[in-house]
Amino acid sequence: MKPRTLGAILAGGRSTRFGSDKALAPLEGRPLILWVAEALAAQCDEILICGRELAGYRCVKDRPGPDLGPLGGLAAALHDGRARGFDQVLSAPCDTPRLPPDLSGLLAGEGAAFVGATPVIGLWPIALAETIDAFVRDDPKRSMRGWAAVAGARSIDLPTAIPNLNTAADLARL
């Protein structure tokens, strides 16, 4: 039986390096976040926006609150997914518009997995919901790599790098 997968777009950041709201920054006439939503929708049973509101999508606030980086969004997604009967969460930040069409398959396997170069992109079993709460509460760095280690996640190197657009210059180069 195929696992039920919730696609979580992590979009709660302040975009300080970008200089404006990067989720809504246009790429080929469409906001970055919609590129990510489209890519995840093709691989997931449902899409969830974490850390912001976006018309037409189910949205949740970061957990346990804002300004926790991507872990706040992932924690919210794991809990939302658990409450609604999902088996796993496929996470990606709102600034990765060129996700592979087979990302879920590339990360599939036993337990959690993440893209080695971009650990915010990962496949996380719902069973990690309580573990992430403890990590967010107790780890002062709240790093994605630290979380991946605690989660026992496998690091997957993809054949092609996924562009991560942290600055307006990154977007211009893409």
Side-chain angles (χ1 to χ4, degrees), residues 102-173:
D102 57 345
L103 179 62
S104 182
L106 292 168
L107 296 174
E110 198 62 37
F114 65 96
V115 173
T118 313
V120 73
I121 301 172
L123 189 61
W124 312 98
I126 290 296
L128 293 170
E130 298 305 323
T131 306
I132 199 170
D133 282 350
F135 183 80
V136 169
R137 181 186 66 238
D138 299 338
D139 188 280
K141 292 182 183 177
R142 294 190 188 100
S143 81
M144 283 302 295
R145 289 199 189 280
W147 159 246
V150 166
R154 297 170 287 115
S155 176
I156 306 295
D157 292 326
L158 300 182
T160 306
I162 298 173
N164 187 358
L165 309 178
N166 289 311
T167 66
D170 292 341
L171 177 60
R173 279 191 294 275

Side-chain angles (χ1 to χ4, degrees), residues 46-71:
E46 187 178 316
I47 300 301
L48 179 70
I49 308 294
C50 304
R52 72 175 308 127
E53 294 293 319
L54 186 64
Y57 291 90
R58 180 173 172 79
C59 302
V60 295
K61 294 180 179 180
D62 287 352
R63 179 186 172 115
D67 300 325
L68 296 172
L71 286 171

